[in-house]
Amino acid sequence: MTLPDTSMSPAGADRTFQVDLRGLVDLLSHHLYSSPRVYLRELLQNAVDALTARYAHEPRSAQGDFGIRLYADGSSVRVEDDGVGLTEADVHAFLATIGRSSKRADRIAEQRGDFIGQFGIGLLSCFLVADEIHVLSRSARTPGAPAVEWRGRGDGSYTVRTLPASARPRPGTTVTLTPRADAAEWTAPAQVRSLAGHFGSLLRHPVTFDDGRSGPAPVNPDPAPWARTHPTPGARSRALAGYGEEVLGFTPLDTIELDLPAVGLKGIACVLPDTVPAGRRHGHRVHVKGMLLSEQADEILPEWAFFVRCVVDAESLRPTASREALYEDGTLAAVRDALAERLRAWLATTAASDPDLLGRFLRVHHLAVKSLAVHDDEILRMLLPWLPFETTDGHATLDEFARAHRTVLVTSSVEEFRQVAAIASAAGLGVVNGGYTYDRELVHRLPEIRPGVTVADLDPATLTAHLDTVDRETELAAAAYLAQARDALAVFDCDVALRTFQPASAPALLVDSREARHERTRSQLAREQEGGLWGDILGHLRQEAPRAQLILNQLNPLVRTAVTIDEPELARTSAEALYGQAAMLSRRPLRPAESSLINRSFLDLLAHALRKDS
C-alpha cells in the first residue's frame, strides 16, 4: 500500500493522498463485497490470471502441468499457482499500491481481455478474514530470478525481502493467510473446499484442495457440461438438464442450449416448471472465463424472460469493480438481445415441432407468454392461437374458439364476463373474458393472424338484443309489478325489464358495465357538489348517465310468481331480493347500500313467510 510522505513540503507542492487501510477494508466489506467469502474467489482469480499471463509468455510446449493448489488445515489458508510470478520490482509496484494491477503491465496490456480481474484491489479482500497476508513469488519472465517475499499487514505496513531461488523452486506464487479468530466461519477447511467448488467449478485450469489429512482432491474434475462430448443428442440434452437441476435446484421443463461465439458465451437456459408472478426477474448464474461472478445476475436477460433461469460462462462480459455483477455496456446489451432471440427461436421451434411440450409450457407460463406477445409481433403471430383464455365455451385456445365463433366478443372486466357468461352461452354468443392482464388487448389482435375473424367489445345492448321479448299480454299483466320494481331500484339507477332467456334456472340478469357505474358515480358527485368548483368541473364532464338494467327471466318459475304479487311492499322486497341475487352472481364488489339491501330484503321476506305461516 502506498504510504504518504510525511516530510515537510514547500507551499503549493503536490501531495500524496493518505490511505487508512483499515477504513478501506471496512468500506470494501460493507459496500463493495457482499460477504467475506469473496476473499477465496479473489485469490483464485489472481491465480488464474497469473496462469493466463504465463501461457501468454511461454510457448505451449514449455507450459507443462500448470495448475492451482489450495490448502486449509484450520490454522492457515494457502493458495499456490504456477503462474507468471512477480519480481521484486513487481512486488513494490503492484502489491504495495492500491488500485494498480499487475495485469496492466505494458508487456501484457494488449491481452487484458484474457484476464478476469481488471481493478487491482482483489488482494485487499484477504484483510476481510486475516490481519496479515504472506506472498512468496518467483517470476517466470526472468531466468534464474530469486524468490521474493512480501508481508502486508492490516495496519497498512508491509515488508519485502529477496530469498534464494530454492525458497520457491518453481516459478509461480504462494499466498498464505493466517485467519483471525472471528473469520473461522470462512476459513475452516470444509468451508474453503465448499467455496472453491462454488466459485471455481468451471475454471479451465486444474484446481485441487488439500486439508492436510486426505491428500489433494480435484475441485473441478470435469469441464463445463456444454464443453463435453455425448454419444447422442438425447444424451446431451439429458446431461444438460441434469446439470441444470444440480445447480439450480429444480427439474427443468426443458433445457435450451445457449451459444454466442462472438462473445465466447456458452450455457443453458432452464425453463421453470412452476408458474411465477409476471414481472419477477430471476437471478442467473453467470461465470466469466470459468469463475463464478454472480448467482443473481438478472441483467443478462430481458424482463419478459422470467420463465427461465440461466447458467452461462462468457469470455467478453465485463464485471463491475466488486466482480459480483455485470457492467452495463454495449456488449452486455448485445448479449441480452442475442439471448432473447435464442428464447424466441426455442418458442418457435417448440410451437412447430412439439405441441405436447408447448401445451405443458403454456399451462404453466401462459401469462409470461402473453406479456411477451403484447410487445413482440413475432411471438404474437406464433403463439396467440395456442394461448388459453376463459370463454363461454370454457377454457379454450383462441384458435379453437375462433373456429366455433366467427364473431368473438370480449368483455372489459372479469365481473362483466361473469354477469353474462351463462346467458351469452345459452344464446350462442362467443364471449372471451378480457378482464385478465393482457387478455383484452391480445384478443383484439386476433384478426391480424386470423383474417376471417371479427372481434368486438361486448356491449350490453348486444346481449339484450339476443334476449327474446315477452308477448304483449304478459308484459301488460306484469306492468304493475315492474313499476314497483323500478321505483324500488331507482336508488341504484337501475331499470327493470321482462324478457325470456336461457337458462331458465337464472331468475334475473344484471347488465351493468364498470364504465356505466363510473359515469353514475361522477354524475352523483356533480349533483352533490353543485355550485362549487368541483361542481363546475364535473358538470362539464356530465353526460346522460347510463343506467344499469335488471332483466327478469319470464321462463323462471320464481319470476312468474313474483310478477303476480299485488301487495306493494312485498313486490318491492321481492324486486330488491332479485337485484341483490343478480348482483352477487356478478361477483363484483358490492357497494355498502347493496349489501344493506340484500340483508334487509332477506329479513323482510323471512318475516313475511313467518307471518303467513302463523
Side-chain angles (χ1 to χ4, degrees):
M1 298 67 190
T2 300
L3 298 179
D5 181 2
T6 56
S7 61
M8 296 296 293
S9 301
D14 289 341
R15 298 176 183 271
T16 304
F17 282 108
Q18 298 188 32
V19 177
D20 179 353
L21 187 59
R22 291 190 185 279
L24 182 58
V25 170
D26 182 70
L27 181 68
L28 294 178
S29 64
H30 288 94
H31 299 286
L32 185 64
Y33 295 127
S34 62
S35 163
R37 70 177 184 167
V38 300
Y39 83 92
L40 192 69
R41 183 196 66 196
E42 297 294 336
L43 290 176
L44 282 173
Q45 191 161 278
N46 286 343
V48 170
D49 287 339
L51 284 168
T52 303
R54 189 167 184 184
Y55 289 157
H57 173 71
E58 297 185 0
R60 178 69 59 180
S61 60
Q63 289 175 7
D65 186 21
F66 295 162
I68 301 169
R69 296 166 293 280
L70 299 176
Y71 302 87
D73 59 7
S75 61
S76 66
V77 175
R78 190 166 81 252
V79 180
E80 294 182 359
D81 69 67
D82 300 310
V84 73
L86 300 171
T87 63
E88 183 177 358
D90 292 335
V91 166
H92 284 289
F94 302 123
L95 297 189
T97 304
I98 295 172
R100 184 181 295 174
S101 172
S102 62
K103 295 176 285 291
R104 293 194 176 99
D106 291 342
R107 284 166 292 180
I108 56 174
E110 66 275 11
Q111 286 129 359
R112 283 185 62 198
D114 295 334
F115 300 104
I116 303 172
Q118 302 281 338
F119 298 92
I121 59 175
L123 197 61
L124 286 180
S125 66
C126 295
F127 286 120
L128 299 176
V129 298
D131 286 328
E132 183 174 287
I133 305 171
H134 177 257
V135 177
L136 182 63
S137 188
R138 183 180 172 191
S139 176
R141 292 197 183 97
T142 305
V148 182
E149 179 191 66
W150 177 87
R151 291 182 183 272
R153 289 170 284 276
D155 61 5
S157 63
Y158 70 93
T159 59
V160 178
R161 62 177 181 150
T162 301
L163 301 176
S166 59
R168 170 83 196 191
R170 298 174 60 185
T173 301
T174 300
V175 180
T176 305
L177 310 179
T178 302
R180 295 193 306 270
D182 62 356
E185 175 185 359
W186 306 109
T187 57
Q191 181 69 280
V192 173
R193 173 64 183 85
S194 175
L195 291 176
H198 179 73
F199 289 118
S201 63
L202 297 185
L203 287 176
R204 292 84 184 267
H205 308 289
V207 182
T208 62
F209 172 79
D210 191 344
D211 62 4
R213 297 190 303 271
S214 307
V219 169
N220 55 341
D222 300 315
W226 42 83
R228 305 172 202 164
T229 57
H230 300 86
T232 65
R236 181 177 183 84
S237 179
R238 288 190 295 273
L240 293 177
Y243 177 76
E245 182 173 2
E246 175 188 348
V247 172
L248 299 177
F250 62 85
T251 302
L253 194 65
D254 196 20
T255 305
I256 308 164
E257 190 162 0
L258 307 175
D259 187 3
L260 305 178
V263 291
L265 183 146
K266 290 180 179 291
I268 55 173
C270 295
V271 182
L272 291 162
D274 300 310
T275 304
V276 294
R280 174 184 290 179
R281 301 189 70 179
H282 288 286
H284 305 287
R285 190 178 176 94
V286 175
H287 299 250
V288 174
K289 301 178 181 70
M291 181 69 71
L292 178 64
L293 180 80
S294 174
E295 295 176 280
Q296 300 297 325
D298 61 5
E299 63 270 31
I300 194 76
L301 287 181
E303 290 187 11
W304 56 258
F306 53 85
F307 52 88
V308 296
R309 288 190 65 190
C310 292
V311 183
V312 300
D313 185 21
E315 294 286 337
S316 302
L317 294 178
R318 291 177 57 193
T320 59
S322 68
R323 291 189 281 274
E324 294 184 314
L326 293 171
Y327 185 80
E328 188 69 50
D329 59 7
T331 300
L332 178 58
V335 166
R336 187 163 47 235
D337 291 343
L339 292 179
E341 284 302 314
R342 183 65 190 88
L343 295 182
R344 289 189 183 94
W346 175 82
L347 287 171
T349 302
T350 303
S353 62
D354 197 340
D356 180 62
L357 174 59
L358 180 67
R360 286 185 283 123
F361 170 74
L362 291 178
R363 281 193 293 273
V364 175
H365 294 295
H366 61 275
L367 188 58
V369 176
K370 287 177 180 179
S371 69
L372 174 58
V374 167
H375 306 291
D376 191 308
D377 290 345
E378 183 179 348
I379 297 298
L380 178 80
R381 290 190 298 271
M382 189 165 42
L383 293 181
L384 182 59
W386 299 91
L387 290 172
F389 289 81
E390 185 179 7
T391 75
T392 46
D393 293 350
H395 281 83
T397 67
L398 282 187
D399 210 38
E400 296 169 332
F401 196 68
R403 283 199 296 267
H405 305 277
R406 304 309 293 174
T407 297
V408 176
L409 302 174
V410 58
T411 65
S412 59
S413 67
V414 174
E415 62 197 47
E416 185 179 4
F417 177 81
R418 288 170 177 166
Q419 286 177 36
V420 305
I423 289 86
S425 178
L429 297 176
V431 182
V432 178
N433 186 350
Y436 296 113
T437 306
Y438 311 119
D439 282 15
R440 182 166 174 265
E441 183 177 355
L442 288 173
V443 174
H444 272 287
R445 298 191 66 179
L446 181 60
E448 296 177 26
I449 54 177
R450 293 291 183 270
V453 177
T454 301
V455 176
D457 286 325
L458 177 67
D459 185 274
T462 303
L463 182 64
T464 55
H466 283 77
L467 305 181
D468 295 328
T469 58
V470 297
D471 59 74
R472 184 171 179 78
E473 290 184 3
T474 302
E475 188 162 11
L476 287 173
Y481 178 83
L482 295 176
Q484 294 280 359
R486 293 186 184 106
D487 184 61
L489 301 179
V491 65
F492 299 113
D493 288 317
C494 183
D495 195 7
V496 182
L498 187 64
R499 297 286 189 272
T500 63
F501 55 87
Q502 295 293 337
S505 58
L509 168 66
L510 181 59
V511 179
D512 190 17
S513 67
R514 180 182 299 178
E515 292 76 12
R517 291 197 302 277
H518 286 176
E519 180 58 38
R520 291 198 300 274
T521 300
R522 187 168 60 186
S523 298
Q524 178 64 28
L525 285 173
R527 289 193 296 269
E528 293 174 355
Q529 299 287 341
E530 195 166 333
L533 174 62
W534 282 108
D536 292 340
I537 295 173
L538 293 171
H540 285 294
L541 297 175
R542 187 187 306 171
Q543 54 183 316
E544 185 64 29
R547 306 190 74 193
Q549 193 171 36
L550 181 68
I551 303 174
L552 304 180
N553 187 4
Q554 176 64 18
L555 298 180
N556 182 268
L558 178 63
V559 171
R560 288 202 300 272
T561 301
V563 297
T564 64
I565 297 174
D566 55 9
E567 184 180 335
E569 286 303 317
L570 182 58
R572 292 176 61 90
T573 299
S574 64
E576 291 172 343
L578 288 168
Y579 175 89
Q581 189 257 1
M584 287 191 295
L585 286 178
S586 71
R587 302 185 191 179
R588 66 169 170 80
L590 297 175
R591 291 172 285 180
E594 291 172 330
S595 298
S596 176
L597 173 139
I598 291 170
N599 292 332
R600 186 180 67 251
S601 62
F602 170 75
L603 293 175
D604 288 349
L605 288 175
L606 181 61
H608 176 80
L610 292 174
R611 286 197 304 271
K612 185 176 180 181
D613 291 341
S614 60

